[in-house]
Amino acid sequence: MEAQLEQLTNAIDALTALDIDALTDTELHTAVIGLQRLGDRLTVITAPLLQRWHHRQVWATDGSKSAAARLSRETGTAKKTAARALHRAGALASMPATTSAAAAGELSLDQVDLLARANTSERRDLFARDEQLLVGQVHEEVGQRDLLAVVGVV
């Protein structure tokens, strides 16, 4: 894992060193869209690690009172942001088609969160049955309101 983190760090460092003013409009557009999608993918592939870290209570090894508190403190994020990441990680643990599509860059975090909203305890069995279909609909850019209606959230 250390080698992969070092490679990722090196790639980020290389991107940071780019002269963005030298980019053409096409290159700038490609960079913006590509990096946004990669950021979402990175968040999604971090989710199983975060879920395991939470489940195994690794966060408690320094006496922290909660996973969100430690994650917030050590990453410099708001506790609410840390709690949202933990919640998303927990949701994705029961959403294999969503996780797979998002990890492949086919869904944004907003689309992942939309699907997670539909995967309530009352609808868990229906969601599991229809998850692949729902992922396909989201990927095909069905409007958020339409999707919420399809899954019965509105």
Side-chain angles (χ1 to χ4, degrees):
M1 179 55 99
E2 286 184 35
Q4 289 89 345
L5 289 174
E6 184 176 343
Q7 289 174 342
L8 183 56
T9 299
N10 291 338
I12 291 170
D13 290 346
L15 288 168
T16 302
L18 282 177
D19 179 3
I20 59 173
D21 291 326
L23 298 175
T24 67
D25 288 350
T26 300
E27 291 170 330
L28 183 59
H29 176 78
T30 299
V32 166
I33 301 305
L35 288 170
Q36 185 63 47
R37 286 183 177 154
L38 288 171
D40 286 355
R41 287 181 70 191
L42 187 58
T43 297
V44 169
I45 66 169
T46 302
L49 297 166
L50 190 54
Q51 175 67 9
R52 191 75 35 118
W53 178 81
H54 184 241
H55 178 73
R56 288 171 35 183
Q57 297 187 344
V58 175
W59 54 269
T61 59
D62 71 346
S64 291
K65 303 268 189 241
S66 74
R70 184 163 183 186
L71 186 61
S72 170
R73 185 176 60 255
E74 291 197 21
T75 61
T77 61
K79 191 172 179 182
K80 185 176 179 178
T81 302
R84 185 174 36 237
L86 288 160
H87 177 77
R88 181 184 293 122
L92 284 171
S94 66
M95 300 169 61
T98 302
T99 301
S100 179
E106 298 170 5
L107 297 176
S108 70
L109 285 180
D110 288 340
Q111 291 168 319
V112 167
D113 291 342
L114 178 63
L115 288 164
R117 283 179 54 198
N119 189 19
T120 63
S121 57
E122 297 83 22
R123 292 188 206 96
R124 188 120 16 243
D125 291 340
L126 291 173
F127 185 89
R129 183 194 73 194
D130 296 335
E131 182 181 9
Q132 193 63 53
L133 173 68
L134 294 169
V135 166
Q137 288 182 324
V138 169
H139 182 65
E140 293 171 14
E141 299 186 33
V142 170
Q144 177 174 338
R145 189 138 187 86
D146 294 336
L147 180 66
L148 291 173
V150 167
V151 297
V153 175
V154 291

